[in-house]
């Protein structure tokens, strides 16, 4: 399987090497993050070299072999979380959202589409990198494109060499763990147990069961003579008490030796923050706070709202953009926005624009109500992997709104070598 190893090495020496070079050129957190990426690919490369000379191991051994790669993936994602205030946060998020693509080794029977799905998840942020830097520094633009190319070539590699899942090429060979080549452990002291006498072995009763089954089938119409008649008191439509059925099983509470119930560990809660860092307003971990207010906002200011719940944010003045990330049951009210309002990984959020907003972006969000003003009817709404999105359009000057849902269901047909997709309206 030298061809497989060489093909993976081509990815590492080709687009991945270019990605590392551009990351070092950008510097800062991007360069540090890229080093973690290199280590993750190195760990998977070592794993694939083991796969090429080994037979499929047990699940326990497989988990041990995959641990170096999974640890590097966790380090990449943790680094992003620790650097949310970085000016390169979109760069870090591009990698953090798509690096789980290296988990393709655990996916069957179609690992290649899984890599594409992870690549698409990261492109939400790579597109923001392209938008923010295309007029400033083409190095960042090339950086984003090379990373997408790296995962695209990884997908092609999997299609060619591991189409339906990871291929263990060492037929009838023991699994090599860590390349140590250590021999298997010796048998237990005392040797193997003596074989059972053949006379003591009993064949399965399967043949007898089959004979009895065929004998019943061959009875023909007489097979129903042994059935019991269903009386009125046994019929559910005449005896409603039979409809309830047995109560669902409930697991007993976990107890300790003194009979007290074990409480689950409480979720770690971080203190709420509301700070301004230069042009960026950071609002994090706010809970049930309906008086959040950003005043005297400037056109180049950006508001980032993260992990808030049950809170309302009002922005007065003209601002560049707002990002609401991983928020739940929150509301946003603002005057005018220069760029866009973005909702990522949110649940049950609301937005109201009093002036104008050119773009609303919704990604991985369940439940988003958007109240528009008469000046923002030319807004562009871009949504992906989201549900329960409704646009409230003002109706005249009475203050009433007309609610219009954003389509979630689509129909795609093949036309020649192209695809044609249209939205499908729900009739329910």
């Amino acid at each position: 399987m030298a061809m497989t190893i060489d093909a993976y090495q081509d990815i590492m020496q080709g687009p991945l090497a270019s990605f590392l070079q551009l990351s070092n050129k950008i510097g800062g957190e991007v360069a540090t993050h890229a080093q973690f990426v290199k280590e993750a690919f190195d760990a998977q490369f070592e794993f694939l070299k083991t796969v090429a000379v080994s037979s499929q191991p047990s699940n326990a051994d497989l988990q041990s072999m995959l641990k170096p790669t999974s640890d590097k993936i966790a380090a990449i994602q943790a680094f992003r979380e620790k650097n949310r205030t970085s000016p390169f946060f979109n760069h870090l998020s591009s990698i953090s959202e798509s690096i789980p693509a290296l988990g393709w080794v655990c996916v069957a029977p179609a690992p290649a589409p899984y890599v594409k799905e992870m690549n698409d998840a990261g492109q939400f942020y790579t597109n923001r990198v392209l938008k923010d830097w295309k007029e400033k520094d083409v190095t960042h633009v090339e950086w984003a494109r090379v990373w997408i190319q790296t995962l695209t070539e990884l997908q092609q590699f999997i299609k060619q060499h591991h189409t339906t899942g990871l291929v263990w090429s060492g037929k009838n060979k023991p699994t090599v763990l860590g390349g140590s080549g250590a021999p298997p452990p010796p048998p237990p002291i005392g040797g193997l147990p003596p074989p059972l006498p053949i006379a003591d072995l009993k064949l399965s009763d399967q043949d007898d069961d089959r004979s009895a089954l065929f004998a019943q089938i061959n009875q023909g119409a007489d097979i129903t003579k042994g059935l019991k008649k269903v009386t009125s008191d046994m019929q559910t439509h005449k005896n409603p008490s039979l409809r309830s059925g047995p109560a669902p099983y409930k697991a007993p509470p976990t107890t300790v030796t003194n009979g007290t119930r074990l409480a689950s560990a409480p979720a770690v809660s971080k203190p709420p923050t509301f700070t301004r860092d230069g042009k960026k307003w950071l609002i994090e971990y706010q809970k049930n706070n309906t008086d959040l207010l950003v005043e005297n906002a400037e056109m180049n200011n950006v508001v980032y709202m993260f992990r808030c719940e049950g809170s309302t944010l009002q922005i007065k003045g003209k601002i560049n953009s707002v990002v609401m990330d991983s928020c739940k049951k929150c509301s946003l009210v603002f005057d005018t926005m220069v760029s866009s309002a973005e909702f990522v990984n949110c649940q049950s959020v609301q937005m109201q624009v009093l002036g104008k907003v050119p773009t609303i972006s919704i990604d991985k969000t369940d439940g988003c109500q958007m109240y528009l003003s008469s000046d923002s009817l030319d807004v562009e709404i871009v949504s992906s992997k989201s549900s329960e999105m409704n646009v409230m359009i003002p109706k005249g000057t009475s203050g009433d709104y007309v609610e219009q849902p954003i389509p979630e269901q689509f129909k795609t047909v093949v036309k020649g070598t192209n695809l044609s997709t249209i939205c499908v309206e729900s009739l329910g």
Side-chain angles (χ1 to χ4, degrees), residues 330-346:
C330 289
S331 300
L332 170 67
V333 181
F334 59 89
D335 292 339
T336 298
M337 201 161 294
V338 177
S339 179
S340 64
E342 302 180 19
F343 302 91
V344 185
N345 293 319
C346 293

Side-chain angles (χ1 to χ4, degrees), residues 159-316:
K159 281 184 179 179
Q160 183 174 356
H161 299 283
H162 301 274
T163 309
T164 58
L166 189 64
V167 178
W168 296 83
S169 305
K171 304 298 183 183
N172 300 322
K173 294 181 181 179
T175 301
V176 180
L177 289 176
S180 60
I189 298 176
L192 297 174
L196 289 174
I198 295 179
D200 294 341
L201 295 177
K202 183 180 180 181
L203 296 177
S204 171
D205 294 334
Q206 184 178 10
D207 292 338
D208 295 338
D209 295 339
R210 288 180 179 177
S211 299
L213 175 63
F214 287 130
Q216 286 185 336
I217 294 175
N218 290 333
Q219 294 179 31
D222 293 337
I223 194 172
T224 62
K225 289 183 177 180
L227 298 178
K228 293 182 179 180
K229 179 177 178 59
V230 179
T231 60
S232 297
D233 61 323
M234 300 169 63
Q235 298 175 1
T236 57
H237 67 284
K238 294 185 178 180
N239 191 356
S241 62
L242 297 176
R243 300 175 191 171
S244 59
Y249 171 77
K250 293 184 179 180
T254 306
T255 57
V256 291
T257 54
N258 61 1
T260 58
R261 184 172 179 175
L262 283 176
S264 58
V268 178
S269 59
K270 296 186 178 181
T273 60
F274 191 114
T275 60
R276 181 175 182 177
D277 183 10
K279 301 176 183 179
K280 194 169 188 178
W281 298 74
L282 301 175
I283 305 169
E284 301 177 317
Y285 307 107
Q286 299 282 344
K287 284 195 174 183
N288 301 320
N289 189 345
T290 58
D291 298 322
L292 298 173
L293 178 63
V294 173
E295 288 187 294
N296 302 319
E298 301 175 7
M299 287 182 58
N300 60 354
N301 285 184
V302 174
V303 174
Y304 182 73
M305 193 173 179
F306 177 69
R307 287 279 173 90
C308 296
E309 184 174 344
S311 300
T312 300
L313 171 64
Q314 184 175 1
I315 303 173
K316 293 186 176 180

Side-chain angles (χ1 to χ4, degrees), residues 67-86:
K67 191 175 185 303
T69 306
S70 62
D71 287 348
K72 297 302 179 184
I73 293 175
I76 291 170
Q77 295 177 328
F79 186 82
R80 189 272 291 261
E81 294 300 322
K82 294 178 182 177
N83 292 274
R84 286 191 165 271
T85 59
S86 169

Side-chain angles (χ1 to χ4, degrees), residues 99-178:
I99 197 63
L102 294 184
W104 67 268
V105 293
C106 299
V107 178
Y114 169 77
V115 173
K116 184 181 186 304
E117 183 180 347
M118 293 299 101
N119 198 359
D120 292 343
Q123 283 192 33
F124 175 78
Y125 290 98
T126 53
N127 287 340
R128 292 166 69 173
V129 173
L130 294 173
K131 183 180 74 172
D132 293 344
W133 293 91
K134 62 182 179 181
E135 303 293 340
K136 301 177 184 177
D137 190 346
V138 294
T139 302
H140 298 259
V141 175
E142 188 62 25
W143 176 91
R145 290 174 177 167
V146 168
W147 174 245
I148 294 173
Q149 181 187 355
T150 301
L151 295 184
T152 302
E153 292 198 12
L154 177 62
Q155 181 186 354
Q156 296 300 322
F157 161 81
I158 296 168
K159 281 184 179 179
Q160 183 174 356
H161 299 283
H162 301 274
T163 309
T164 58
L166 189 64
V167 178
W168 296 83
S169 305
K171 304 298 183 183
N172 300 322
K173 294 181 181 179
T175 301
V176 180
L177 289 176

Side-chain angles (χ1 to χ4, degrees), residues 351-420:
M351 180 216 82
Q352 182 175 9
V353 51
L354 304 177
K356 188 174 179 64
V357 58
T359 305
I360 301 174
S361 176
I362 311 169
D363 181 57
K364 300 176 186 175
T365 293
D366 296 323
C368 184
Q369 302 282 338
M370 292 157 279
Y371 290 82
L372 302 182
S373 67
S374 57
D375 294 332
S376 58
L377 297 181
D378 58 346
V379 64
E380 293 183 357
I381 303 174
V382 180
S383 61
S384 62
K385 298 182 180 180
S386 300
S387 63
E388 300 178 30
M389 300 169 289
N390 296 293
V391 181
M392 314 299 287
I393 303 173
K395 183 180 180 181
T397 59
S398 61
D400 294 333
Y401 289 87
V402 177
E403 182 177 2
Q404 295 291 352
I406 294 179
E408 302 173 24
Q409 188 174 8
F410 303 90
K411 180 178 72 174
T412 299
V413 295
V414 179
K415 291 188 176 181
T417 57
N418 298 317
L419 299 178
S420 176

